[in-house]
Structures are given as C-alpha cells and as structure tokens.
Amino acid sequence: MEHPQATPTIRGIQTVSTTALPDRFRSVFPFPLFNAMQSRCFHAVYQTNENFVLASPTGSGKTAIMELAICRLLASLRTEPYKIVYQAPTKSLCAERHRDWQAKFAPQGLHCAQLTGDTDSHQLRRVQTADLIITTPEKWDSMTRRWKDHLKLVQMVKLFLIDEVHTLRETRGATLEALVSRMKSVVPAVRFVALSATIPNAHDLAVWLGRDAAAPHMPAHQEVFGEEFRPVKLQKFVYGYQSGGANDFAFDKLLGSRLPEVIRRHSASRPIMIFCGTRNAATVTATALAALWTHQSPQERSWPFPSQILRVRDRTLLNCVVAGVAFHHAGLDSSIRRDVEQAYLAGWISVICCTSTLAVGVNLPCHLVILKNTTSWQNGGLFEYTDLEVMQMLGRAGRPQFDTTGVAVIMTRSEKVQRYERMTSGQDAVESCLHLNLTEHLVMIATVDFRDQTANVMMHRQNAEISLGTIQDEQTAKRWLQSTFLYVRVAKNPGHYKLDGQSSGAPVNEGLERIGARETGRLCNAGLVLMAERLQCTALGHAMARYCVRFGSMRSILSLQARPRMSEILSALAAAEEFHEIRLKAAEKGLYRELNRASEIRFPIKVDLALPAHKSSLILQATLGGVDFPALEALQKHCGQFQMDLNTAFQHAQRLIRCIVDCLLDRGDAVGVRHGLELTRSLAARVWDHSPLQMTQIEGIGNVSVRKLLAGGIEDLEALRQTKAARIETLMHRNPPYGHTILTRVEAFPQLHIGVKLMARETVEGRPDQVQIKLEIGFFNDPIPRIFNRRPIYVCYLAETEDGRILDFGRISARAFIITEWVLFTTPVTSAGETITCTATCDEIGPLCTTAATCAGSPPGPAVDAYDDGALDDEDFFVALSDLDFQHIDSFGAAVASTTRRNTVANRSPGTQVQGTGPGLAGPTGLDPPLLEPPRVEPPRLERRRLENGRWTCGHRCKHKCCQEGVSRPRGVPEALSEAGSTADDSLGGAGPAGAWSGAAESPPGSSPAPSPAPPELVAEPEKDRVRPGLEGVDPAIIAEFETCCDFS
C-alpha cells in the first residue's frame, strides 16, 4: 500500500485516493480518487466491521460503497470460508450487477452467481459454490424458509448487501423486512450494508439493523447526503393537469397534447427520454412527435436533424427515425432494440419514447427525462409506478461527461402533485408493510428449534417465523416483533398503521402484541399452529410456509372434501388469493364464454362466468387442453391480456398444487393425492395426462406437429417410439436426420417400471395381521436419466389400499438410482382380500405413471410381474442386472472384483442381510421370525421360430421392438452354446473364470434345476469363435430375457 498523498477537499470533505487500498483492489475502482460522498464513508465501510446505512441521491456513486465493503471482507478473511449476498428488488438490477461484478471481482478470485426467479437447476448448483450471490428478496426468502436444507450455505454468509432498501415501503417490502430479521437471528455475526435513495428517516433503518452482533441495541453507522452530492445537479419539476374525471387512457391523450410544450421549455436541444405507461403509448407518442417535427420549420424544432438515418424494416419506426425520434419497448425484436440504443448513443436519434424497462440495465443517459403519466401497465391493469421505478427513471437525467445539469419532469394528475414533490425531494419517509400480511409470515418461524441460535410475529410472515422456530412462545414472539422495522416505525408514526383496538395513550407495543396474539389465534383455529409448551407448526403450517401460500388460499385448500375429484382440486387452486391480479373484466366475458365451449376444456364452468376464479380455471384448462385462441375478429384485442394472465397463472400454480398435495397427504387421502399428482404433472408439462399433446414435451414437437402425427395414427409417446424415422419424416414433411433426432429424444424420455411383492406376514392373536411390502422402482432407460428438459428428475411413489388409505409415499431423486430402488413398509391387513396398489410417477413429467398391485391376504411369494411378459421373474432380472458394471455385454472381460458389485447373493458375507432382498430380512419392520421365500417356479419356455424376414422370434411376451422385428439369432441359449459341437454338459460346467453373473444366477434352496438348452435345430451358427466368459451355468431363459430387455442384440 502506497503512502497516501495530499488530495483535494470537496464540500469540506478530504477526498481519499484509491492508493489507500492494497494493490490488488485498485482495479475494482476505475478512478484515482473517491468522490466526496465515498470519501466520507471510506473509514466506516473499509476500516470497520460495523453495520452501515447510506442514504444518498441516485447517481452519487453508492455502488462503490458496496464494493469497498466486499474488499474489506476479502482483506480480513484470508482462509475462513465465506459468502456474500447482494439483494436488489428487481431481476434487471441483479443482472446488471452480476455482469459488472463478475468482471471486476474475477481477478480477486471471487466467483459470482445469480439467484433469481429465472435461475434453473444448473445455475442453482453454481450458487452453492459461488462466493458472491446476487439475488432478489423473494428468492432468498424462499431459500431461508428451507434454511435447514441450506444450513451450511446460510451460516457462511458474512456480508449482506441491501440495495434500494427504501423499497421497504412497498407491498413486497414485507418480504425484505422479514428475511433481514430472520438473517439477524440465524447468522448473528453477519454484517449488513444498506443503501437507499435520500430519505428523512435513515436513522430508523440504522436502529433496526443495529451496530453489530455485540451491540444490537445501538444504531448502525449512518451517512445521509443531499442532492448537492450528485455529480450532475438535477432539476426536478412536477406538473399537474386536471383530468376532469377522464380514465387513464383519455388522460394519457391529454398529456400527449401538452408534451411538446414541456419539451420546448426544458430540452435545450439536447437528448430526451420520454417514459410512457404502455408499449402502445410509446409508439403513439413517438409517431406524434415525429409528425410534429416534420411539419415545423427549422427554427421551431426542439431537436436537431439526425446526422444519419437508422435503417430498420419496421415501417412505423422508420417514419419516426427520419425525424430523429424512436420508440423502444419489449415488443420489439431484440436486434431492433439494440440498433435503437446504439443510434441514440451515437446521436442519430434525439428523442426516445420507451417503457420503464429502459430505466435499468442499459446505460442511456440523457439531458431531459419526462414521465408522461405516472401509471403503467402492470399485472393486467394500469397502476402507479413504484417509488423505486420513479427514482430510477428520473436518475437517467444528467450526463456526467457532457452536462453540468439535468432536468427531470413528472406529468401527472393535479391531485398527485404533492405526493411526487415529496418523493423527489427526499421527504417521503420509509414505512413498514409487514403488518399487511403478518399472518403468513408468522407461520414460518415453529418447525426448527432456534434455541441454539439467537431466538428472535404478524399472518404469512407470522406463520413463516413460527414454522422456522424463531417464535416458540409469547416471549420469543415479542422479541421477534422487536427485531422488525415495523416495531421501530410504529413507535414513531402510530397513526400510519392504525393498529386495531389500540386506545389513545396506550403503549405502542401493546397494540403490536395484541395483533400478534390475534393472528396466532387465527393460525391455531385453522389447524396450522399448535399451542403446546411452545408454538409448533403442524404439517399443514409447514406446507403453507414452504410454498409461500397466503392464509386465505390455505383456508380454501383446507375446505376440500374427502376424496376430492380433480375438478374440485382445480377449483380450489383457481380460487387462490395468489391469482388476485387476474380480474375478469366485462369486455372479456365473450372470450371466456367461447373458451368454455371448447371441447378440449375438461371441466367446463356450468354457471354464468362472473368470478376471477372462473377465468383462472379456464386459462389453465385452455393451456392444458391445447385450445387455440378463438379466431373471431372481435376477440383478438384480448390476446395480449390473455397471454399475460396465462403467465401469471402458471407462475403461482405449481407451488399451489404442491401445497394441495402435501395437505392431502397429511389427511391420508390417497384418492385426492393421486388426483393432485396427476394435476401436478399436467401443470408442469402444460398438457393433460393421456392427451396426444403429451408429445409436445419432446423438443422439436409442437401442437401443429402433434396434429400431423395424429393424422398418421400416432397418438402417444409409445406409438411414436415404435415408429420408424423415415415414417416420422414423411408425416412431418421433414428431411433426414429429423426422424432419427426425434426418436433419440423420445428414447431419452423417462420410462418407469414398478414391481410390488408381499415379503412377510406376522400374525398376532387379537390384532390385525401385519404384512411387509417391498416396492421395486426403476427406469427402462439406459443410462438412467437424471435431467429432462433442463430439470432434475424426481420419482414419486404412492402405496394405497382399495378403500383410499395411504400406506406409504415418497419422493426420490433419479440421482439416487443405481439400477432399482427398493422401498419397504409394513401395514396392517384389515380384510382377507384387501388389495394394495402401488403407483410410481415422474414428478413434473406427464403422463409418466405406472401401477402394480398385490393382494395383502395372499401368502408371501414372487413379486408381481410389472412387465406382463410372463417369461422372467422381475426380481431375478434385476438381481442379475444389478450385478453388472458395464454398458454392453461385448465389453465384458475378466471377472469383476467383488467390491464393485452390489446387491448380489454371491457378494454377501455369511449372515449379512441386504435391505429388500427377501429371505432373512431384518429391516425396520421388526417382523420376527423372518419367513423364508417360497421356491421359485420357472416360467414355461416358448418356441423359437424363424420369421419371414430371416430373423428369429425373441421368445417372450412383451411389446419391445424385438417382438415386432425379431432378433439376429435364436434366443434360448447363450451365444457360447451356439458353437458347433457344443453339448449340454459344456454349458453347465464349462471352463473359464467365474464372473459377475455366477453369483447373480445362484438359485436358492429348493429351486428347480435349470432346463435343458434349446433343440439343436434352433441353434444358429456362431458369430464369433469364442466362449463368452461369465455365462457358464446360467439359465438360458434369464440370458435371453436380459439381452432382449437391455437391447444387447
């Protein structure tokens, strides 16, 4: 580190040179001196570990403060593992910060990863190894709600950066407030650095965060800066206009007529950016300004003639750019948007009319920013901009390299002027929103016991904190309340919160405690929380917290009747409060009546369409059924809104249906769970189970392709799998290798099998018999698929009785499968002929579902044949298959070391019991004494005959490809036995090393001897003059079945 030299003083603050930092950190800051704001904060941020709060204008250089805090951590932690979390309210801000910091901190060995709603499973793994996690409050809240699953990751967090902390005043700010309070409890030693725009109550934020873990009751270090610290002075104007009761669209036209006057007054012939509320408004505004400029004389024009004309195909945009005007919104092609941005930066375009999406992510500074109206199209309607959006848009004004001043103008209704004047002047205090959805938050804090942590209530957040264990009783509830920003602000501004039942002059904390007790009582009455020695979440409360479900939605779910039909589950889903953004407008009823009449709607609404839930249900069903949007001309205007509502519906549907399934599991309702799992698969695949549209799950096949396949008689994935590549190409009018590519993708589609076996029975007088059941679940695919459509594969299994009781349920990752997974469970037998049905499905992949059943009243015996081939006992096949350590039989050489083989009879030590292997089982069931497995009965041999094409029948009953086309040589003896001159004795006692198969083929005592080999007339000429090692003494039927099912021919 160099000795600091004398630096200039700005506004009475001695600036700090970047040479005050170690050499390795200087590349992070591309300037020689920190500005006045950054210099004043330097000591507190870089030379101490105290929590820090900064309130400073947009564009004053707050990002450098977070970078200094990161450098402080890197300098102080040399060997100790750590993680840094950066929180921003929007995905666009996260993406911008990720790009910037990935480049800046990569030389420091810091790995950045982004965690937002767009993060897929592959990126999620990178988060686990990243040093700097860039995320949104909602995503981090979701992770810390399952903090025990991510315990190591969460406890490694040493620095927590909160950008735009003033968003606490917005509705979604409750999530940020709850998770920061939670992090204070789970990781007491974490350092918080919070940044805000200029606000009058930064001290309240400092009190909320506390100085550090050692002095939490002392306020954090805080610095507040006014507008004078902006590098480019920003002049702000708020103009109000009388609306005369006009709606938002009519008022927007009024503002359009006043816009030229505002431009003339403030533009100074410099670049202008106009933010409009909708895409159409941006296009209309740009077109009107271009027409006005064209008809004006050069002296009247407010911006110069373009030096060059941007060439674009869009005729409307071209008519604008010739006048130096352009529009920019998400409806344009990305290449056109980039061209417009580059032309604006180059000076070819002087005016750009855009939506609020251009306020972040793209660096397009200008001299004049105009907000044409303060509403924008969001969630299916026109709503006021958030404070964050307004400040981000205004922050575009002022170009440091070109201007000394910038101008920001807000055009709004007269009655809103005062509000925006307070906001732009930094006089609008930050308030809490936690009280608006306290119940949901309370549920989360009673499942995990935080007594070994620092234990720190109001109904989504209150339930959340009970679920986590932060709230255990009345005292911990009070402590958690006192750790929230709500507690700090209620004491300062009680009139804003209007606490129910609070008498004048009563202490504020009494009102909060009363609300907390009331909401906890509501949770108890709903069965979500138990009041025992300490507050405990029930399984239903856990589900509500795990899936972030609102309390009203949870009550709707819990009102489902026993054994609900799928239509009833769908109705409960569509009525969830999470769909409150989807509103049924009078003008849309014609569209949804038309959709309701479509034959593909599985559960049509049989009453008059009047409720938002009706609309939500029809949107989901129309998507699952592949209903085309009605072609009526009068309905086309609703197409855009339908698509936005569809995205909103599916954004919430998956977690809501998972919550419903968990609640039905808690009831033990097998019928409801089965229907819920089918709806889960359908929603994930966006197609009903057993619909021909299931083929759209294959990449390269859409709805139009499905119609072509149906015309050719191909109705499902299995039929598609059996179709030749040339036939597919003919039907689809495509050239090779399209058909081969499709078949390769179809083969990668997960294919499950399940077998069920009655293992043992225990009879105790006076009690129902106890039976032990074994499930064998596996994949037909080789290799076993782990990922499908960029999502990890999970297998759900459900064991149920014929009267609808759940016996066992589980969810297994495909990564846990080696060959098959064995599941054991014990259940009482209530009747002699009781049937147990077991179902295996692939989670979120439809229509993958396979079922097997057994009679609980029958004696223990062989497993139920899940293949329907009748030629080989399934358990024998998988015992043999699990003994292999190769991919193709021709690669089998010398004997495999016993340590590399699993689940084989030969590899067990004397007295060793293997879970799920049948005889001698000493598993978790406690059945004593264990029962011996009955003798195996060999299946009858089938005749092998030559087909017309010269190939041989495969010799078993199934629907594999080999059954239709035959095999290259007769099945019935191993290849080694087909040599000329071979005898039956050779096959039973041939020379060669004892291989992996020898143990697998060992028969238990009492089994029948192996049958004789096939007659000589069926023995084909040998393909190679050698004996395949490891096949000596193996039952030929087993070899034939194994080679066929594994496609080794």
Side-chain angles (χ1 to χ4, degrees):
M1 185 184 301
E2 299 178 9
H3 183 73
Q5 301 177 353
T7 55
T9 299
I10 302 176
R11 299 187 180 276
I13 300 172
Q14 185 74 38
T15 56
V16 177
S17 171
T18 54
T19 58
L21 294 169
D23 293 345
R24 67 190 183 107
F25 294 144
R26 293 179 193 172
S27 62
V28 176
F29 306 96
F31 43 77
L33 291 175
F34 291 104
N35 65 26
M37 182 274 291
Q38 296 161 350
S39 298
R40 182 190 284 181
C41 301
F42 183 86
H43 172 77
V45 176
Y46 184 72
Q47 296 177 339
T48 75
N49 289 320
E50 294 181 5
N51 294 338
F52 184 81
V53 175
L54 171 63
S56 184
T58 302
S60 58
K62 294 192 292 289
T63 302
I65 301 303
M66 294 186 289
E67 293 167 348
L68 278 173
I70 294 172
C71 291
R72 166 69 180 181
L73 183 70
L74 295 179
S76 57
L77 294 179
R78 299 187 180 277
T79 58
E80 184 180 352
Y82 64 88
K83 294 211 181 277
I84 302 166
V85 175
Y86 166 85
Q87 293 241 225
T90 63
K91 290 186 287 187
S92 54
L93 273 175
C94 288
E96 183 179 11
R97 190 59 46 232
H98 180 260
R99 286 192 300 269
D100 184 26
W101 282 353
Q102 184 68 45
K104 282 186 175 181
F105 288 107
Q108 317 300 328
L110 206 65
H111 174 218
C112 300
Q114 193 172 344
L115 179 63
T116 65
D118 297 332
T119 306
D120 60 25
S121 58
H122 297 285
Q123 294 169 318
L124 191 58
R125 293 192 204 101
R126 292 201 293 269
V127 169
Q128 297 171 349
T129 59
D131 307 302
L132 176 52
I133 302 170
I134 298 170
T135 183
T136 57
E138 289 78 12
K139 198 65 178 181
W140 191 253
D141 177 51
S142 175
M143 281 196 65
T144 54
R145 283 177 182 237
R146 303 190 309 272
W147 76 273
K148 202 166 186 180
D149 297 338
H150 307 285
L151 177 62
K152 184 176 180 181
L153 184 149
V154 172
Q155 291 188 332
M156 286 173 63
V157 176
K158 305 299 181 186
L159 178 61
F160 202 90
L161 305 169
I162 311 171
D163 204 357
E164 311 289 357
V165 70
H166 54 274
T167 56
L168 283 169
R169 64 164 67 104
E170 300 173 10
T171 303
R172 57 187 297 213
T175 300
L176 174 61
E177 181 176 347
L179 75 88
V180 170
S181 297
R182 189 182 309 147
M183 288 296 295
K184 290 163 63 179
S185 300
V186 179
V187 193
V190 66
R191 184 190 190 191
F192 291 96
V193 174
L195 310 184
S196 168
T198 304
I199 54 174
N201 62 331
H203 180 72
D204 294 335
L205 295 172
V207 171
W208 172 45
L209 295 177
R211 178 173 294 176
D212 52 32
H217 301 297
M218 299 292 291
H221 188 100
Q222 59 179 307
E223 295 287 353
V224 180
F225 298 89
E227 286 293 319
E228 66 275 12
F229 283 87
R230 275 185 62 103
V232 177
K233 185 179 178 181
L234 183 62
Q235 298 175 330
K236 301 171 186 174
F237 301 90
V238 181
Y239 295 132
Y241 300 90
Q242 294 293 335
S243 59
N247 62 32
D248 288 302
F249 296 101
F251 183 66
D252 193 73
K253 290 184 179 180
L254 171 65
L255 295 182
S257 65
R258 303 296 180 87
L259 189 59
E261 177 187 349
V262 173
I263 293 175
R264 260 193 318 272
R265 185 183 304 173
H266 298 290
S267 69
S269 297
R270 294 176 182 175
I272 304 165
M273 188 174 290
I274 302 171
F275 287 99
C276 305
T278 66
R279 299 176 184 179
N280 183 61
T283 303
V284 170
T285 302
T287 303
L289 289 176
L292 177 65
W293 185 89
T294 303
H295 292 91
Q296 288 177 329
S297 65
Q299 294 78 17
E300 295 175 313
R301 290 170 177 168
S302 299
W303 58 89
F305 193 89
S307 57
Q308 292 192 48
I309 303 300
L310 174 66
R311 295 186 179 183
V312 291
R313 295 192 187 96
D314 189 296
R315 176 66 61 180
T316 304
L317 183 57
L318 181 61
N319 292 335
C320 293
V321 297
V322 296
V325 184
F327 51 86
H328 184 291
H329 54 69
L332 294 174
D333 186 79
S334 58
S335 61
I336 296 178
R337 294 201 302 269
R338 284 194 300 271
D339 290 342
V340 169
E341 293 162 9
Q342 293 301 317
Y344 183 77
L345 290 171
W348 303 354
I349 293 173
S350 298
V351 181
I352 187 167
C353 302
C354 55
T355 54
S356 60
T357 54
L358 201 58
V360 292
V362 182
N363 186 20
L364 294 178
C366 62
H367 175 76
L368 171 63
V369 164
I370 301 175
L371 268 68
K372 180 176 170 260
N373 208 344
T374 52
T375 59
S376 66
W377 189 263
Q378 306 171 46
N379 302 322
L382 285 168
F383 297 92
E384 290 286 315
Y385 287 121
T386 64
D387 294 1
L388 174 62
E389 290 174 317
V390 170
M391 299 310 296
Q392 285 177 335
M393 288 185 282
L394 299 185
R396 288 297 187 189
R399 302 176 300 166
Q401 63 272 45
F402 302 111
D403 297 331
T404 57
T405 62
V407 181
V409 176
I410 297 177
M411 303 174 69
T412 187
R413 297 176 187 265
S414 299
E415 58 269 25
K416 298 178 182 177
V417 169
Q418 192 174 8
R419 178 204 167 190
Y420 286 101
E421 286 179 340
R422 287 198 313 270
M423 181 194 303
T424 56
S425 61
Q427 299 174 10
D428 209 3
V430 176
E431 300 289 354
S432 172
C433 288
L434 186 61
H435 62 296
L436 299 178
N437 57 354
L438 185 58
T439 306
E440 287 85 351
H441 288 277
L442 272 172
V443 174
M444 182 79 181
I445 300 185
T447 53
V448 181
D449 193 345
F450 274 136
R451 284 174 290 187
D452 296 333
Q453 314 276 343
T454 302
N456 278 341
V457 186
M458 281 180 116
M459 211 156 134
H460 181 80
R461 291 297 165 195
Q462 188 162 357
N463 184 69
E465 304 309 321
I466 294 173
S467 174
L468 283 175
T470 308
I471 296 175
Q472 302 170 5
D473 51 35
E474 185 177 348
Q475 292 304 315
T476 53
K478 289 181 180 179
R479 283 202 296 272
W480 184 82
L481 269 176
Q482 292 168 0
S483 73
T484 64
F485 185 62
L486 174 67
Y487 189 86
V488 176
R489 283 305 298 165
V490 164
K492 294 283 187 73
N493 189 13
H496 174 81
Y497 297 93
K498 301 180 178 62
L499 300 181
D500 296 342
Q502 183 180 1
S503 58
S504 58
V508 171
N509 60 344
E510 288 186 8
L512 282 176
E513 292 166 8
R514 188 180 303 109
I515 293 176
R518 182 194 66 195
E519 303 302 336
T520 303
R522 294 176 67 192
L523 293 171
C524 291
N525 293 336
L528 302 172
V529 171
L530 293 177
M531 292 284 288
E533 295 181 0
R534 66 182 183 93
L535 286 174
Q536 293 179 332
C537 240
T538 63
L540 300 176
H542 280 304
M544 176 180 172
R546 185 183 309 116
Y547 300 111
C548 307
V549 178
R550 298 189 178 209
F551 181 63
S553 303
M554 201 66 190
R555 287 192 298 187
S556 176
I557 292 171
L558 296 179
S559 67
L560 280 170
Q561 300 297 319
R563 303 167 70 93
R565 300 188 297 271
M566 191 181 299
S567 59
E568 295 171 334
I569 296 175
L570 181 62
S571 296
L573 174 70
E577 288 184 359
E578 281 74 5
F579 297 136
H580 72 281
E581 302 166 355
I582 301 177
R583 297 177 297 171
L584 180 60
K585 302 172 186 176
E588 295 177 324
K589 288 189 176 181
L591 167 63
Y592 288 96
R593 290 193 186 104
E594 191 71 22
L595 291 176
N596 198 36
R597 286 192 286 267
S599 59
E600 298 89 348
I601 296 296
R602 190 168 176 180
F603 307 112
I605 309 298
K606 297 181 180 180
V607 297
D608 182 51
L609 300 181
L611 301 176
H614 295 160
K615 178 178 178 179
S616 300
S617 176
L618 289 173
I619 287 174
L620 294 172
Q621 292 191 70
T623 304
L624 300 183
V627 180
D628 290 328
F629 194 85
L632 296 175
E633 183 68 28
L635 301 180
Q636 297 309 304
K637 61 184 178 181
H638 302 302
C639 185
Q641 181 61 48
F642 177 84
Q643 189 61 45
M644 286 190 289
D645 289 336
L646 185 151
N647 293 336
T648 300
F650 277 93
Q651 179 184 352
H652 302 296
Q654 199 60 36
R655 60 187 174 88
L656 287 171
I657 188 60
R658 285 184 175 278
C659 182
I660 292 174
V661 170
D662 281 11
C663 294
L664 293 171
L665 279 169
D666 183 66
R667 286 187 191 177
D669 190 334
V671 175
V673 170
R674 195 175 347 109
H675 291 157
L677 288 174
E678 181 177 343
L679 190 53
T680 302
R681 295 192 302 274
S682 299
L683 289 170
R686 296 203 176 190
V687 58
W688 287 117
D689 264 16
H690 312 298
S691 161
L693 289 172
Q694 65 186 257
M695 292 184 284
T696 59
Q697 295 176 86
I698 304 300
E699 184 182 354
I701 297 181
N703 288 4
V704 175
S705 300
V706 169
R707 294 190 189 104
K708 294 178 181 179
L709 293 171
L710 285 174
I714 302 171
E715 299 183 351
D716 53 31
L717 284 168
E718 185 57 35
L720 182 60
R721 183 180 289 109
Q722 301 296 334
T723 306
K724 294 182 180 297
R727 171 69 172 160
I728 294 174
E729 289 159 358
T730 301
L731 292 173
M732 306 290 280
H733 307 292
R734 301 290 292 271
N735 295 325
Y738 176 80
H740 177 74
T741 302
I742 291 297
L743 288 177
T744 301
R745 292 170 180 168
V746 172
E747 287 301 320
F749 190 89
Q751 304 172 64
L752 279 177
H753 61 74
I754 185 173
V756 56
K757 180 177 181 180
L758 181 63
M759 295 294 294
R761 175 187 295 273
E762 180 185 34
T763 303
V764 178
E765 188 176 353
R767 291 193 304 173
D769 288 0
Q770 297 283 325
V771 294
Q772 185 184 64
I773 305 294
K774 182 173 84 170
L775 306 183
E776 296 175 352
I777 307 170
F779 288 88
F780 284 115
N781 308 71
D782 183 20
I784 292 174
R786 316 295 187 191
I787 300 289
F788 182 74
N789 283 347
R790 296 177 294 280
R791 289 186 294 189
I793 296 174
Y794 288 89
V795 177
C796 290
Y797 67 87
L798 172 67
E800 59 179 299
T801 59
E802 53 192 324
D803 60 354
R805 289 184 294 112
I806 295 179
L807 302 179
D808 198 18
F809 177 85
R811 188 169 184 257
I812 311 169
S813 170
R815 295 182 180 277
F817 283 75
I818 300 174
I819 298 296
T820 59
E821 278 293 301
W822 293 346
V823 179
L824 292 169
F825 63 91
T826 303
T827 182
V829 179
T830 57
S831 63
E834 184 175 53
T835 300
I836 296 175
T837 304
C838 302
T839 305
T841 68
C842 251
D843 199 11
E844 299 189 352
I845 302 175
L848 197 49
C849 178
T850 183
T851 303
T854 187
C855 180
S858 60
V864 174
D865 188 1
Y867 301 102
D868 273 340
D869 55 16
L872 175 67
D873 186 83
D874 295 337
E875 185 179 52
D876 288 345
F877 170 71
F878 285 110
V879 167
L881 191 61
S882 66
D883 198 27
L884 301 178
D885 220 5
F886 57 83
Q887 295 183 344
H888 196 282
I889 197 166
D890 288 336
S891 65
F892 213 92
V896 180
S898 62
T899 56
T900 67
R901 303 195 297 271
R902 306 175 180 89
N903 300 333
T904 61
V905 176
N907 289 331
R908 299 179 202 155
S909 302
T912 301
Q913 301 297 334
V914 179
Q915 182 179 2
T917 55
L921 179 69
T925 60
L927 297 179
D928 191 31
L931 302 179
L932 290 178
E933 193 177 48
R936 179 183 295 118
V937 178
E938 294 295 336
R941 300 289 303 278
L942 299 180
E943 179 186 1
R944 272 56 168 168
R945 59 185 177 82
R946 190 184 293 273
L947 300 174
E948 293 181 0
N949 61 5
R951 297 169 68 86
W952 294 85
T953 55
C954 59
H956 59 81
R957 304 181 185 94
C958 73
K959 297 180 180 179
H960 294 99
K961 188 176 180 181
C962 57
C963 299
Q964 302 174 14
E965 299 181 0
V967 293
S968 59
R969 64 174 184 272
R971 299 298 174 86
V973 294
E975 181 184 355
L977 296 184
S978 64
E979 295 184 18
S982 295
T983 64
D985 292 337
D986 292 333
S987 69
L988 296 175
W997 280 59
S998 58
E1002 231 176 282
S1003 300
S1007 62
S1008 58
S1012 302
E1017 62 270 15
L1018 293 182
V1019 179
E1021 289 298 318
E1023 296 180 12
K1024 297 181 182 179
D1025 189 19
R1026 66 180 179 85
V1027 176
R1028 188 182 303 279
L1031 300 183
E1032 296 79 8
V1034 181
D1035 178 10
I1038 294 179
I1039 301 299
E1041 291 296 334
F1042 173 74
E1043 290 182 321
T1044 301
C1045 293
C1046 293
D1047 197 19
F1048 286 169
S1049 58

